[in-house]
Amino acid sequence: MTFKMWEPISLNELEINILKGELELKGELLNFWNLIKIEPQKWQEKEFGEEGGGFWVVAIFGNEVIYYNDIEEGFNISPYETYGHIKEYWCNQSELNWTIIGLYERIRTNI
């Protein structure tokens, strides 16, 4: 039995995942996404992010970022204090659209 070594997601693969998520968004959710999204950029994360050179951050909202955890293959929300550094590691395996919906609903309900 052979095991495939883990490799970080490429920017091209990430962009495909983002496009899939964007296709699911409509109306207010799409507008919200368009306000917070950024060009993907690698940010550092000290707990598990060093091996892959960091994680791809795809959106910034206040003091939080949406990033793609390519170890767990899903989008996550984490706070940050210093630009370029993800503060907390999360291992959700969420699709982008569900991550955006969760953040948007949290904001709408002031949680």
Side-chain angles (χ1 to χ4, degrees):
M1 180 183 286
T2 60
F3 291 97
K4 182 181 175 194
M5 295 295 294
W6 173 80
E7 292 182 21
I9 191 170
S10 70
L11 179 56
N12 187 51
E13 290 173 298
L14 176 67
E15 288 173 337
I16 291 169
N17 278 345
I18 292 169
L19 287 173
K20 287 178 185 176
E22 287 178 336
L23 289 173
E24 299 294 322
L25 300 173
K26 308 281 186 257
E28 289 181 0
L29 288 170
L30 182 59
N31 290 338
F32 177 65
W33 168 245
N34 285 327
L35 288 172
I36 66 171
K37 73 178 178 178
I38 63 169
E39 287 294 319
Q41 51 188 250
K42 286 268 185 142
W43 280 31
Q44 299 305 304
E45 191 282 322
K46 64 181 178 185
E47 193 171 356
F48 294 101
E50 292 180 11
E51 184 177 349
F55 294 114
W56 289 106
V57 169
V58 299
I60 300 174
F61 182 77
N63 66 343
E64 294 182 302
V65 295
I66 295 176
Y67 72 97
Y68 186 76
N69 179 337
D70 47 0
I71 297 170
E72 299 293 334
E73 299 182 350
F75 289 91
N76 295 268
I77 299 170
S78 177
Y80 78 95
E81 292 174 349
T82 303
Y83 189 89
H85 296 273
I86 298 167
K87 186 174 178 182
E88 296 174 5
Y89 177 86
W90 293 97
C91 55
N92 297 331
Q93 296 176 324
S94 301
E95 299 294 328
L96 179 62
N97 59 314
W98 288 111
T99 304
I100 295 165
I101 290 167
L103 179 58
Y104 184 75
E105 287 302 314
R106 197 178 83 207
I107 292 164
R108 275 184 5 104
T109 58
N110 293 319
I111 296 177

